[in-house]
Amino acid sequence: MSSIAISINPLGANGSVALGLLCLVFAACPPPVAAPEAVADPLPYASPLMGTGGFAYFHGSAFPGACVPHGLVKVGPDTRGAKYGDLRFIHYSGYWAGDDTALGFSHLHLHGAGATDWGVLILQPVTSSDPSVLNRDTYQSRFSKRSELASPGSYTVTLQKWSVKAELTASIHAAHHRYTFAEGDAPHVVLDLSRALAPGRLTEQTLTRVDATTLRGSFLLNGQMSDGYGGNRVFFEVRTDRASTVTQTSADGHVVLLAFEPGAPVELLVGVSLVSPEGATANLTAELPSFDFDAHKAAAEDAWRAKLSRARVFGGSEEDRATFYSALRLAFLMPTVISDADGAYVFGGERGVMPAGEVMLSDFSLWDTYRTVHPLYALVDEGTARASVNSLLRMAGQGRGFPRWPMGTGESGTMVGATADIVIADAVLRGVPGLDAEAAWQQLAAEALGTPTRGSRASMGRYATLGFVPVEESGRSVGITVEYAHADFALANLARSLGHAQEADTLAARSRGWRKLFDPATMVLRAHHADGTLVAEPYSLTDWNHYAEANALQTTFMPLWDSEAFDGLFGSREAYLAALSDFFDAAPAEEAEALAQPTYELRYLPRNHYWPSNEPDIHAPFLFSRAGRPDLTAKWSDWARDTYFSSVPDGVPGNDDGGTLGSWYVFAAAGLYPVPGSDGWLIGSPLFPKLELKLAAGTFTIEAQGVSPENLYVQSAKLNGAPLLRAELTQADLVDGGRLVLVMGAQPSTWGQ
């Protein structure tokens, strides 16, 4: 080693002597490691195309078009392709990444859902004035993927048939279209009120031409989800930047062709309301008061930048950054603002007005989103967390009980359990401000401890007395049992936090009733009769009967909230960890076998072991942290995020369900995962060397020193400078800001055990 030692003995200002030794070492020491570079602007990393592809059970069903966070208007192309046409199960959002034909730009869409609705109020630029252009088979156009540009807040594509560049941007209730036609072509725009995404039906259409630049109208849509409650009535206003003439009208008057003088790009503004025609006009005037497309696009981008900047990534690969911010964007597409700019809203056939500064939300995929999305809001977006809770309380307060899947202006009733209970309790327990916790508890308790005839608790049946749902009452009896048990766990925590000890004890006891369904012979949860005897059907790993979108093995590992029970059910902690490890150890080979199938279609069928594509076992890697083996959480959460997620169209391994899978990735990359219905967090394995989470009261920083694709495992941890020995935190540890420092290494350690 070659070195130079210099002894320095200066006098301090107070006469004291400071002795220092400066050692300059040449050749032997590595260069200093540069601090990880922060993402300056998250917007370029967030691709709206993430999750728009995939197939069958691996279709993300993501919405790629123009919108703002939680915007009612989600304007984008509905598409079809040569191979699959508009096959419904890959077109729930109206769009599939493998398609090459645009059927028109519609204004309302769901995101990530497993059912079709909306896809209405269609505009399509064309250059023909022939009557045939009123038919979708004529006005549709192929497009080149090379011309497609999707960015948070805007969408651009060139329609090859008409040689038109279409640009879209949006606000909460309105859309701005800009169509640039080729020189010499005759600009026309089709307005189609006759079509919706199948099997939707449009009726009661009205269309009035107010003047040469304004049209107003309405219609009633009964879609796949909304049909059960009578559909959604939509009011709209269309304004054009210059006068148009109506050159063609369909026989029923539901499709019209607008003609414009050639020259500058044709621009149209479309305002929407689910309340009234006056609301559509007022929404449009308030949000898009001019035809300044670039200003409206910039405003939409700023709205997205504000949300995405709640998490600031340092370091990491470009692809990891892109996947992280693309996944984070998915969390803010739904729920949807259904109240007008003045606060007026309609839900369940009743009208209301929100207090100043508040919005009414709907489009809650609650069976999914309670697991990841709502805890994410409670952490980095308290405003949306509060609005979500207050909206659900208003829905229940109208006498219909707490919903499961409110969509648009009504309750679709989709899925199982009492999932709104978990969302509300979770927000209160995590300290979301502006909530009346006692009033919320009283509403929740009236249903959970009463005998409701409507709402999510109405199908409890004998659950409250038996501790489980018997097979006589439901074909999904096991799945419903574990969902109600999770809801009771959440309400027990809420009750205890408010001093309702007796009710807390009752609910806590009920939350453990799922254990009665464990079959020690097969080591899985099995359906039981009301008399407590096991259903005689033989156990099958692949059978979803008795479960909710999962098999027996996946459902068995659902109770994250009551995971301490597994030690007793399996006989010991070691036996439980062995069974959980087997559940994961089989997954890579199963995945490889599926991907080796000879046809594309066969590769994307359900998996039988760990499978983050469906919600019941989405959290399972983090069960290891609760059982004292965070090293295995690190191993399998890293495997899952690397195997199943990327920023490309097939980068979400199943229906995103309102941001559920995207939020899972955000948490897995942060190395921090929620226990829904509590104030708890579990520590995993961060993807980035540094991540800042901007909370309401401060910034919480997660540092993973030395992290790399090889260095997955936490060796030691400190929270705000003090040693942290457990792989768990509470909301109180995070809420005021602070610093979690994890030292990472290539080998599992004993930390957290």
Side-chain angles (χ1 to χ4, degrees):
M1 179 175 70
S2 173
S3 65
I4 301 175
I6 305 175
S7 179
I8 304 175
N9 186 17
L11 291 178
N14 62 358
S16 65
V17 177
L19 179 63
L21 180 64
L22 177 62
C23 180
L24 303 177
V25 181
F26 299 97
C29 295
V33 177
E37 182 180 356
V39 168
D41 183 2
L43 217 64
Y45 287 103
S47 171
L49 295 179
M50 179 180 180
T52 59
F55 193 78
Y57 291 90
F58 282 70
H59 172 48
S61 192
F63 171 72
C67 63
V68 295
H70 307 296
L72 172 63
V73 165
K74 296 178 178 68
V75 59
D78 298 322
T79 63
R80 68 159 48 131
K83 185 173 184 180
Y84 298 111
D86 54 3
L87 188 64
R88 191 185 305 171
F89 71 73
I90 57 172
H91 288 90
Y92 294 135
S93 72
Y95 176 99
W96 189 58
D99 293 340
D100 62 358
T101 299
L103 305 177
F105 302 109
S106 62
H107 287 76
L108 300 170
H109 293 91
L110 292 175
H111 160 69
T116 47
D117 217 300
W118 296 125
V120 291
L121 186 53
I122 298 168
L123 293 181
Q124 180 84 327
V126 298
T127 58
S128 171
S129 60
D130 190 89
S132 66
V133 83
L134 298 177
N135 189 297
R136 187 178 71 175
D137 291 339
T138 300
Y139 70 64
Q140 68 182 16
S141 171
R142 294 189 65 182
F143 63 94
S144 169
K145 290 292 180 181
R146 290 186 299 247
S147 75
E148 189 177 43
L149 178 62
S151 181
S154 66
Y155 177 88
T156 300
V157 72
T158 297
L159 304 179
Q160 292 175 320
K161 181 175 183 177
W162 309 112
S163 299
V164 177
K165 179 183 180 182
E167 299 170 274
L168 312 174
T169 192
S171 61
I172 293 176
H173 301 92
H176 192 153
H177 300 244
R178 182 165 69 185
Y179 302 142
T180 302
F181 293 80
E183 186 175 355
D185 283 347
H188 293 74
V189 177
V190 176
L191 171 59
D192 191 344
L193 304 182
S194 70
R195 290 187 175 273
L197 292 176
R201 296 173 290 107
L202 286 170
T203 58
E204 302 181 29
Q205 295 96 324
T206 68
L207 183 62
T208 302
R209 188 168 171 81
V210 178
D211 54 41
T213 61
T214 308
L215 298 96
R216 293 182 185 139
S218 65
F219 53 83
L220 178 66
L221 167 69
N222 289 84
Q224 184 179 6
M225 294 186 69
S226 57
D227 189 51
Y229 58 82
N232 283 297
R233 191 172 299 278
V234 179
F235 304 91
F236 67 89
E237 177 164 317
V238 179
R239 299 177 192 168
T240 59
D241 66 331
R242 55 187 185 270
S244 68
T245 57
V246 177
T247 61
Q248 300 289 345
T249 304
S250 63
D252 57 13
H254 301 159
V255 189
V256 300
L257 182 66
L258 304 178
F260 298 84
E261 290 296 322
V266 172
E267 299 190 46
L268 303 94
L269 307 178
V270 182
V272 169
S273 170
L274 302 182
V275 181
S276 68
E278 295 80 11
T281 300
N283 289 341
L284 182 54
T285 300
E287 295 176 9
L288 301 182
S290 70
F291 284 90
D292 190 338
F293 184 91
D294 293 337
H296 295 156
K297 177 182 175 182
E301 290 175 344
D302 286 345
W304 277 111
R305 190 173 284 111
K307 293 289 189 184
L308 298 176
S309 295
R310 303 289 173 89
R312 190 182 188 198
V313 163
F314 292 73
S317 70
E318 289 295 287
E319 172 52 30
D320 287 342
R321 291 177 170 201
T323 304
F324 181 86
Y325 282 111
S326 299
L328 184 58
R329 170 190 169 273
L330 298 176
F332 298 110
L333 290 171
M334 295 196 315
T336 298
V337 174
I338 62 167
S339 51
D340 282 346
D342 65 357
Y345 71 91
V346 171
F347 189 84
E350 298 183 14
R351 291 175 178 257
V353 179
M354 299 299 294
E358 293 190 22
V359 295
M360 184 71 173
L361 298 175
S362 185
D363 297 351
F364 289 96
S365 184
L366 292 170
W367 184 78
D368 314 279
T369 57
Y370 83 78
R371 305 168 199 266
T372 57
V373 178
H374 292 285
L376 180 63
Y377 294 158
L379 186 63
V380 299
D381 190 1
E382 290 182 345
T384 301
R386 180 171 55 253
S388 297
V389 168
N390 287 334
S391 295
L392 293 171
L393 291 170
R394 280 177 173 267
M395 293 174 185
Q398 293 177 350
R400 290 171 173 78
F402 285 98
R404 290 199 187 101
W405 217 121
M407 182 256 160
T409 60
E411 159 64 336
S412 72
T414 298
M415 296 313 299
V416 299
T419 47
D421 299 28
I422 306 173
V423 170
I424 295 168
D426 189 89
V428 173
L429 293 164
R430 296 189 190 280
V432 172
L435 300 177
D436 188 334
E438 181 61 31
W441 157 252
Q442 293 298 333
Q443 275 190 262
L444 292 163
E447 294 192 15
L449 298 173
T451 55
T453 58
R454 306 184 73 173
S456 61
R457 290 280 186 173
S459 56
M460 281 195 298
R462 282 176 281 181
Y463 165 82
T465 55
L466 296 177
F468 62 91
V469 177
V471 70
E472 289 84 358
E473 294 183 358
S474 175
R476 289 176 159 181
S477 61
V478 181
I480 295 174
T481 295
V482 291
E483 293 293 348
Y484 278 140
H486 194 166
D488 283 346
F489 162 81
L491 291 194
N493 289 337
L494 177 61
R496 206 169 303 283
S497 73
L498 296 172
H500 302 289
Q502 183 175 347
E503 293 89 341
D505 290 343
T506 298
L507 289 162
R510 275 188 2 194
S511 76
R512 297 187 287 270
W514 68 273
R515 304 177 187 181
K516 298 178 181 180
L517 300 183
F518 188 80
D519 173 26
T522 55
M523 294 293 189
V524 294
L525 298 181
R526 299 276 301 278
H528 282 61
H529 294 289
D531 63 4
T533 60
L534 186 68
V535 172
E537 297 173 8
Y539 159 62
S540 170
L541 178 62
T542 61
D543 193 358
W544 283 17
N545 191 29
H546 306 309
Y547 307 95
E549 297 194 4
N551 61 32
L553 193 56
Q554 292 159 347
T555 304
T556 296
F557 291 114
M558 181 183 155
L560 174 66
W561 72 91
D562 191 22
S563 59
E564 63 269 18
F566 288 126
D567 292 355
L569 294 175
F570 283 94
S572 67
R573 172 65 58 86
E574 292 73 19
Y576 160 48
L577 285 171
L580 185 59
S581 293
D582 288 345
F583 179 55
F584 279 91
D585 288 340
E590 185 176 42
E591 190 67 22
E593 181 181 1
L595 295 178
Q597 292 297 314
T599 66
Y600 178 77
E601 292 81 0
L602 290 175
R603 297 171 191 170
Y604 299 106
L605 297 178
R607 308 300 194 247
N608 294 320
H609 293 86
Y610 177 66
W611 185 37
S613 312
N614 244 2
E615 281 72 4
D617 69 339
I618 190 174
H619 58 271
F622 297 89
L623 285 169
F624 288 111
S625 286
R626 293 212 92 180
R629 288 299 302 274
D631 57 311
L632 294 176
T633 287
K635 174 182 177 179
W636 291 113
S637 63
D638 177 73
W639 176 81
R641 70 192 180 199
D642 184 61
T643 299
Y644 292 111
F645 291 87
S646 70
S647 64
V648 299
D650 63 355
V652 175
N655 294 159
D656 184 55
D657 290 313
T660 300
L661 296 188
S663 297
W664 183 94
Y665 182 86
V666 168
F667 282 133
L672 197 65
Y673 198 85
V675 181
S678 76
D679 67 347
W681 297 92
L682 302 173
I683 296 174
S685 177
L687 179 61
F688 301 100
K690 183 177 177 181
L691 175 66
E692 290 180 348
L693 299 173
K694 296 182 180 179
L695 316 184
T699 298
F700 189 81
T701 302
I702 302 171
E703 290 187 19
Q705 296 179 354
V707 71
S708 70
E710 297 74 31
N711 292 351
L712 302 176
Y713 302 102
V714 178
Q715 309 296 302
S716 64
K718 288 185 177 181
L719 177 66
N720 298 326
L724 180 67
L725 302 181
R726 297 184 63 200
E728 298 190 26
L729 297 172
T730 67
Q731 192 79 7
D733 294 324
L734 282 69
V735 68
D736 293 326
R739 186 177 300 272
L740 174 65
V741 178
L742 307 174
V743 177
M744 311 299 292
Q747 298 298 323
S749 74
T750 59
W751 177 81
Q753 295 189 12

